[in-house]
Amino acid sequence: MAMTYRIAPSILSADFARLGEEVKNVIAAGSDWIHFDVMDNHYVPNLTFGPMICSALKPHAKTAAGVAVPIDVHLMVQPVDALAAAFADAGADLISFHPDASGHVHRSIQAIKAKGCKAGLVFNPAEPLDVLDWVIEDIDLVLIMSVNPGFGGQSFIDSALRKIEDVRRRITASGKDIRLEVDGGIKVDNIRRVADAGADTFVAGSAIFGKPDYKAVVDAMRVALS
């Protein structure tokens, strides 16, 4: 079965003074999802944006033809549940969280899905995957961090490739349609290796927003994936 690849620019690297315009521009460039990196200055040492920004950007997250583009929220926050609910109300389509930030992982997943959103789990570079075995039937997405969370513009950690391979085996064994997303240091020159390890969804921040021509970068990523 042919893999469907998705490219999800992270607005953490966008021009914050022109966020609505930036979202429209990366969608026009051919992006599939809009990725929100939510940091709370508690679970990670940085503070980014809350549900109000998500709500404000929701009307901009559509193609020129008016088709809604999914908003993919990655919560680097602790505790999880209240902010997950607030982002669901603000228009998020997918909400992922770190299992070590939740007191009850299964309950947090259920709460996200009860709001009508898809739920995902995020694993940090040095974090084991054990919890995945107990909840893989209940989730829609696994996000592997290929950098340590908290800052944009970091370099890809190669051991993430082994973890991606491991997660792909588990997803295949489950028989479920679960997206395998990777976030951190994704660029045109390594996206193919990451795909070969089993990833199908790619978060890219500075690799896209750091260049003058967003479409040229997205097109080059598609060529590398083809």
Side-chain angles (χ1 to χ4, degrees):
M1 197 171 72
M3 191 81 84
T4 303
Y5 294 119
R6 288 180 170 81
I7 293 172
S10 166
I11 62 167
L12 183 63
S13 298
D15 179 350
F16 282 11
R18 302 185 299 116
L19 270 185
E21 191 183 330
E22 290 273 70
V23 166
K24 285 179 174 168
N25 289 343
V26 285
I27 291 171
S31 305
D32 302 291
W33 292 359
I34 296 297
H35 189 79
F36 255 74
D37 283 306
V38 181
M39 306 181 190
D40 65 355
N41 194 33
H42 170 70
Y43 180 72
V44 290
N46 227 324
L47 186 65
T48 57
F49 18 65
M52 287 194 303
I53 304 287
C54 182
S55 182
L57 289 179
K58 183 73 174 175
H60 298 273
K62 57 176 66 140
T63 66
V67 179
V69 171
I71 291 180
D72 172 34
V73 172
H74 169 200
L75 295 178
M76 288 167 267
V77 305
Q78 190 174 24
V80 169
D81 296 353
L83 267 177
F87 271 97
D89 292 339
D93 296 286
L94 306 101
I95 300 176
S96 304
F97 66 94
H98 292 255
D100 58 320
S102 168
H104 302 280
V105 173
H106 196 267
R107 185 186 296 162
S108 294
I109 292 167
Q110 287 175 317
I112 290 167
K113 298 195 83 156
K115 283 282 196 178
C117 293
K118 293 186 171 179
L121 280 189
V122 192
F123 293 90
N124 288 329
E127 194 171 12
L129 294 167
D130 307 358
V131 67
L132 194 53
D133 295 327
W134 303 102
V135 295
I136 197 161
E137 297 298 322
D138 304 294
I139 59 175
D140 306 283
L141 177 129
V142 178
L143 173 53
I144 297 301
M145 294 301 295
S146 42
V147 298
N148 287 294
F151 300 92
Q154 299 181 71
S155 297
F156 188 89
I157 296 172
D158 280 335
S159 62
L161 294 169
R162 294 204 312 274
K163 189 173 279 187
I164 295 161
E165 289 168 355
D166 197 344
V167 175
R168 175 51 65 192
R169 283 193 291 271
R170 291 169 194 233
I171 290 173
T172 301
S174 78
K176 285 200 66 195
D177 179 21
I178 298 170
R179 305 303 308 183
L180 176 44
E181 186 172 28
V182 180
D183 182 358
I186 299 287
K187 296 181 170 58
V188 171
D189 61 7
N190 67 6
I191 196 168
R192 180 73 248 174
R193 276 197 309 146
V194 179
D196 287 342
D200 54 46
T201 304
F202 308 89
V203 178
S206 52
I208 294 175
F209 286 108
K211 299 289 191 294
D213 185 345
Y214 300 163
K215 187 174 188 308
V217 182
V218 173
D219 287 349
M221 287 179 169
R222 298 252 185 243
V223 169
L225 290 169
S226 64

